[in-house]
Amino acid sequence: MKPLAIDLFTGLHGWAEGLTAEGYDVVGFDLEDMCGQFGVPRPKHVHLVIQDVLTLHGSQFKSAALIVASPPCQEYSYMAMPWTKAKAKAAAIRADTTGAALERLNRLFNACFRIQREACEAAGRHVPLVVENVKGAQPWVGRARWNFGSFYLWGDVPALMPPAAAAIKVKTMGAGWYPPDHPKHVPGLGFNTHAERAIKNNGGSRFNIGSPGQKVTGKNPVHELTGRKQGGDWFAEARKGGEGGTSASFGSKSPQRKMASAMIAKIPLPLSRHIAATYARLSEAA
Ligand SMILES: C[S@@+](CC[C@H](N)C(=O)[O-])C[C@H]1O[C@@H](n2cnc3c(N)ncnc32)[C@H](O)[C@@H]1O
C-alpha cells in the first residue's frame, strides 16, 4: 500500500507533486481549488478536500506517513516591509501584552503543529510534519530549521537537505526588498507579497516582475501554465489590460495576480521530492 501524505494549504500542489512522484497518495486541504480555477491539471494520486484547515482534527491523519503544510505568508511578508503601515502593524502586535494579537497572527501556522500533535496522539507514534513559510515569519514563529532559497522550513526538517547551491536563491521581499523609491531598491524584484519567491533565470528572476514603469521581459507565469505565447513585456501588458486585453487593471484581486502569486508560492519540485524521498525511506525502514 502506498504511504499517505497530508498536504495542508495545498494550493497548486507543489508539495503533492514531489510526494506523488515518490510514491505517496496525497490528501490536500485548501479553501479553494486553485488548479480548477486556473485550468491546471491536478497531479495524479492527489485528492483535494475543500476545507478550512482550522476545522481539522489531527486524529483523522493517524495513518499518515507525513504531513506537510504551507500556511499563507502574506501578513509575515507585509510586516517585513520597510513601510510605515507595515511597521505599525508589527508594533501593535508586539505591544499586545495579552498575546492575543500574536496568537491571531500565527493561528494558521500553529494549527499545523496542533494537528500534528493530535495525529501523533491518535497514531501512538511520531507523525512527521514539515511546515514551509517565508523568512519574514521568523520574528513571529521562531527561527526556521532550514531554507531552500526563499522557502523556509520548520518542524521535522530532515538532517540532510539539498545543497544550498541547488536552491532557488533571490533577494527576498520578506527581508531585503525595498520599494522603487528606496535607495536600496533592486530593480527586477517583486511587486507583491510572494515576489520574493521569484526564481532566478538568466540573471533575472523567473517571475521577473519589475517596479511600475520598468520594462519586464521575463516569462509570464500565466502563459507558462496556460501554454500561451511567451515573450514581450507581459507585465506591462497585464498591468494595462490583463490577459484578455480588457481595460481591467492588473490589480491586487485580479486573476492574473492571483495565479502569479500562487505559482510563486508553489513548492519547487526538488524540495518536495527530497522531503518526500527522505520520509519514504524512513517509513520503509521502520
Ligand atoms: C502559500 S499557498 C500554498 C502553496 C502550496 N504549498 C503549493 O505548493 O502550491 C497557501 C494556500 O493556503 C490556502 N488557505 C488559506 N487559508 C486557508 C485555510 N484557513 N484553510 C485551508 N486553506 C487555506 C490558500 O487558498 C492558498 O492556496
Side-chain angles (χ1 to χ4, degrees), residues 7 9-15 29-32 34 51-54 70-72 108 132 194 262 265-267:
D7 182 7
F9 312 96
T10 187
L12 286 173
H13 309 300
W15 280 117
F29 291 86
D30 205 292
L31 291 176
E32 301 181 62
M34 292 290 187
Q51 187 173 343
D52 186 339
V53 163
L54 289 174
S70 295
L108 295 176
E132 176 272 335
H194 287 292
K266 184 173 172 178
I267 301 291

Side-chain angles (χ1 to χ4, degrees), residues 14-285:
W15 280 117
E17 274 181 17
L19 286 158
T20 54
E22 294 295 333
Y24 290 78
D25 279 329
V26 179
V27 181
F29 291 86
D30 205 292
L31 291 176
E32 301 181 62
D33 176 359
M34 292 290 187
C35 285
Q37 275 183 43
F38 300 121
V40 180
R42 200 179 320 288
K44 275 188 191 147
H45 310 295
V46 177
H47 180 71
L48 171 68
V49 179
I50 301 293
Q51 187 173 343
D52 186 339
V53 163
L54 289 174
T55 67
L56 296 172
H57 194 281
S59 58
Q60 294 172 252
F61 309 135
K62 62 181 180 195
S63 58
L66 173 65
I67 304 174
V68 289
S70 295
C73 64
Q74 283 93 335
E75 287 192 275
Y76 300 128
S77 295
Y78 178 72
M79 287 192 292
M81 304 294 261
W83 295 339
T84 309
K85 280 188 181 168
K87 286 180 186 168
K89 179 174 170 146
I93 295 175
R94 288 201 178 94
D96 175 11
T97 51
T98 69
L102 183 63
E103 180 98 349
R104 208 164 37 248
L105 172 71
N106 291 339
R107 70 198 183 289
L108 295 176
F109 191 95
N110 290 343
C112 305
F113 291 91
R114 170 191 50 84
I115 288 166
Q116 178 194 32
R117 257 193 327 274
E118 293 162 352
C120 295
E121 278 162 23
R125 68 182 161 87
H126 187 69
V127 180
L129 166 72
V130 179
V131 179
E132 176 272 335
N133 216 278
V134 292
K135 184 177 185 178
Q138 293 188 119
W140 308 103
V141 301
R143 202 174 167 160
R145 302 207 45 201
W146 185 263
N147 67 294
F148 186 80
S150 55
F151 296 80
Y152 281 67
L153 303 175
W154 287 258
D156 298 305
V157 180
L160 280 178
M161 288 297 288
I168 295 155
K169 182 78 181 156
V170 289
K171 292 257 185 202
T172 70
M173 194 169 189
W177 187 91
Y178 295 90
D181 56 351
H182 194 281
K184 289 190 183 169
H185 176 69
V186 179
L189 291 185
F191 73 104
N192 71 6
T193 55
H194 287 292
E196 64 202 275
R197 282 120 183 272
I199 296 167
K200 263 204 165 173
N201 185 3
N202 300 329
S205 70
R206 175 173 182 271
F207 201 26
N208 211 10
I209 298 161
S211 49
Q214 183 194 341
K215 185 164 171 63
V216 181
T217 53
K219 282 186 176 177
N220 177 345
V222 178
H223 288 182
E224 267 186 75
L225 273 186
T226 57
R228 288 185 59 162
K229 206 166 139 275
Q230 296 283 349
D233 189 354
W234 69 268
F235 180 64
E237 197 184 296
R239 281 175 63 88
K240 267 195 273 140
E243 279 289 289
T246 69
S247 60
S249 72
F250 191 49
S252 63
K253 297 231 159 56
S254 74
Q256 291 90 347
R257 174 80 73 96
K258 186 173 178 186
M259 184 174 190
S261 291
M263 279 205 61
I264 292 169
K266 184 173 172 178
I267 301 291
L269 192 60
L271 175 58
S272 54
R273 276 199 90 144
H274 178 82
I275 303 262
T278 302
Y279 281 108
R281 275 196 299 276
L282 289 179
S283 75
E284 263 167 33

